Amino acid sequence: MLKIQKKNVLKIYNLPKDVKFCTNCVVSNQRPRVYFNKDNLCNACVNTRNKPKINWSDREKKLKELLSKYRKKNGQFDVIVPSSGGKDSAIVAHKLKYEYNMNPLTVTWAPHVYTDIGWKNFQGLINSGLSNILGTPDAKVHRRLTRDSLIQIGDPFQPFIYGQVSFPVKMALKFDVKLIMDGENAEVEYGGDNNSSTKSFSQKDEKKFWFSDFEAKKWLKNGYTKNEMDIYLSPSADQIFSKKINRQFWSYYNPWDPQEHFYYASTNTGFRPNPDGRSQGTYTKYSSLDDATDGFHFYFMLLKFGFGRATSDAANEVREKHISREEAVKLVQTYDKEFPIKYYKKFLEYCYIDEEQFIKICDSWRSSHIWTKKNNKWKLRKQVN
């Protein structure tokens, strides 16, 4: 029997009980760590409005200076790029090689269940002239950890996040590469802690922002052995410090625009959008395509915080002035609550749970300040308008 208990989302994520929406985009104050100013403007919008004030030429100069410190002349890899084959990591790796004369090693932590389009885009990345190492954990342990993360953390993606963070560092140590170039700092680009560094994360930051304060080592007290969890655990701070590993964000040095990344990757790495036309739960066709379980990460975001994938996509496109707020509101109202039915059966099988158990897990993560049940149907108490 699965032990499913009702969760106190407000307390776990320290959320405000009064739901408010940004006056510029469509994100709500239920996004963990997001900050709203006195005008109810989220800090992601504030940061985006400040981008034109940044001297990007100076930032690129700093990037070139950084890369010159790590560039090798002996043919060995000199920068690690965590990459799934998606558009964002593709532009980072491709530009590092072909514009900045680096020799990047792309490092991929395997999705739970590869989609056909995800695998094709992953191969496209390699075929564009980029070396890659694919890390795939023990499937039995990974499935069990995914199920337990779904129940205890409300996010089936947590095991993927562990590997996404730790595997590149392990490969940097293995190949004696001192520089890791991540994509964007989500705290800055999408709304989060105002105190987070725009350039890089410390291990303390990783625990707070990437692991949601639930580090992989916590599973050692929840029925998992050291052997099972070793592949998920990050190297120690002493190891990273002694080898002088420097982990940076590309978004500090270059304006971060996912739509522009799509155009670049389509031209240079053979990246292809969702063949279905759009991804379930949103209107976009070019993000998070590689993992069949991906839709449930966003669906549980909707359950816990009252906003889903369409909100995240639309908010970002409003900030970048690709769409208006009015258009964003309509897109959110149309797609945000859409259930990811396409891979539902596959997801249940992967997590070895049945539909009744899945519904109980869903309801355990619905907060009463977000949801109300009328005529046996769940409805959001407050929606963006």
Side-chain angles (χ1 to χ4, degrees):
M1 286 290 292
L2 295 178
K3 189 176 181 181
I4 303 170
Q5 297 178 325
K6 180 68 177 177
K7 307 298 192 301
N8 188 337
V9 176
L10 274 171
K11 184 177 180 181
I12 293 172
Y13 294 98
N14 192 28
L15 301 176
K17 194 170 185 179
D18 182 22
V19 179
K20 295 180 181 180
F21 295 90
C22 177
T23 53
N24 182 63
C25 71
V26 287
V27 79
S28 82
N29 63 350
Q30 299 302 294
R31 178 179 171 84
R33 301 180 302 278
V34 73
Y35 172 78
F36 278 36
N37 66 15
K38 59 182 178 61
D39 298 317
N40 279 338
L41 195 68
C42 76
N43 57 340
C45 285
V46 172
N47 293 335
T48 301
R49 289 182 177 184
N50 287 332
K51 283 184 179 181
K53 301 176 185 177
I54 296 173
N55 186 332
W56 291 107
S57 296
D58 184 61
R59 290 283 179 92
E60 184 178 26
K61 181 181 177 182
K62 291 180 179 178
L63 175 62
K64 290 179 178 179
E65 291 172 351
L66 173 73
L67 298 178
S68 67
K69 294 178 182 179
Y70 295 97
R71 187 178 293 107
K72 296 179 181 179
K73 298 180 180 179
N74 58 2
Q76 295 180 350
F77 299 119
D78 46 28
V79 58
I80 298 285
V81 180
S83 177
S84 64
K87 66 187 189 321
D88 297 324
S89 55
I91 192 173
V92 175
H94 195 272
K95 283 198 170 189
L96 281 172
K97 179 170 183 177
Y98 292 104
E99 288 190 22
Y100 296 100
N101 197 32
M102 298 294 286
N103 187 17
L105 172 64
T106 60
V107 170
T108 304
W109 179 253
H112 295 84
V113 181
Y114 253 119
T115 62
D116 289 340
I117 188 63
W119 181 255
K120 289 177 181 177
N121 284 333
F122 172 60
Q123 292 300 310
L125 179 79
I126 299 169
N127 291 332
S128 72
L130 293 163
S131 300
N132 177 268
I133 288 185
L134 175 65
T136 306
D138 180 327
K140 288 184 178 180
V141 175
H142 205 59
R143 288 180 65 191
R144 181 160 58 99
L145 191 59
T146 300
R147 181 200 61 185
D148 290 347
S149 294
L150 180 70
I151 297 168
Q152 295 195 40
I153 307 174
D155 190 356
F157 235 45
Q158 194 71 13
F160 176 81
I161 296 171
Y162 292 143
Q164 190 180 40
V165 174
S166 65
F167 191 60
V169 181
K170 291 178 177 179
M171 293 302 98
L173 293 171
K174 180 177 178 63
F175 288 95
D176 192 29
V177 177
K178 308 297 185 184
L179 180 64
I180 301 174
M181 188 64 74
D182 284 301
E184 83 276 37
N185 180 348
E187 299 295 305
V188 173
E189 299 296 327
Y190 312 129
D193 195 318
N194 269 338
N195 294 318
S196 81
S197 169
T198 56
K199 291 178 67 174
S200 60
F201 274 176
S202 66
Q203 279 201 311
K204 184 178 180 181
D205 293 329
E206 290 175 3
K207 176 185 175 183
K208 182 177 180 180
F209 303 138
W210 284 341
F211 298 150
S212 300
D213 285 323
F214 204 104
E215 294 177 280
K217 66 182 181 181
K218 283 192 175 183
W219 292 106
L220 296 173
K221 298 180 180 180
N222 287 269
Y224 289 82
T225 67
K226 180 66 167 60
N227 286 342
E228 289 173 330
M229 292 307 301
D230 184 68
I231 195 169
Y232 300 95
L233 298 171
S234 295
S236 69
D238 289 342
Q239 281 181 289
I240 296 172
F241 181 78
S242 66
K243 292 296 183 178
K244 299 180 180 179
I245 303 296
N246 186 357
R247 195 164 190 170
Q248 297 271 318
F249 289 116
W250 180 264
S251 61
Y252 174 78
Y253 300 100
N254 290 275
W256 191 258
D257 189 337
Q259 192 173 103
E260 292 301 318
H261 298 173
F262 166 59
Y263 298 140
Y264 183 95
S266 297
T267 301
N268 294 285
T269 69
F271 179 85
R272 294 294 175 261
N274 194 329
D276 295 336
R278 65 175 181 86
S279 300
Q280 290 182 328
T282 191
Y283 61 95
T284 61
K285 60 182 180 180
Y286 49 63
S287 297
S288 300
L289 302 180
D290 54 316
D291 198 326
T293 71
D294 203 40
F296 296 92
H297 164 69
F298 291 103
Y299 186 70
F300 271 79
M301 183 171 74
L302 172 70
L303 297 180
K304 292 190 287 186
F305 310 125
F307 67 90
R309 190 171 182 175
T311 292
S312 296
D313 291 341
N316 190 60
E317 293 206 334
V318 169
R319 295 175 196 128
E320 299 297 338
K321 298 183 179 180
H322 295 311
I323 60 175
S324 68
R325 190 179 192 277
E326 290 71 22
E327 290 173 306
V329 169
K330 291 179 181 178
L331 290 167
V332 168
Q333 292 174 347
T334 302
Y335 298 113
D336 218 34
K337 296 190 291 294
E338 183 180 33
F339 186 78
I341 193 67
K342 180 176 181 179
Y343 296 114
Y344 182 39
K345 182 178 179 182
K346 184 172 288 187
F347 180 75
L348 295 180
E349 290 174 350
Y350 185 81
C351 295
Y352 48 101
I353 56 176
D354 58 34
E355 190 164 12
E356 182 181 355
Q357 291 170 329
F358 177 78
I359 293 171
K360 287 181 179 179
I361 296 168
C362 288
D363 290 347
S364 75
W365 283 100
R366 292 185 192 266
S367 181
S368 59
H369 81 293
I370 295 286
W371 296 93
T372 183
K373 200 171 189 180
K374 294 181 180 179
N375 299 323
N376 208 35
K377 289 185 177 181
W378 288 104
K379 293 184 178 181
L380 288 169
R381 291 186 179 275
K382 193 171 183 179
Q383 299 185 64
V384 66
N385 56 48

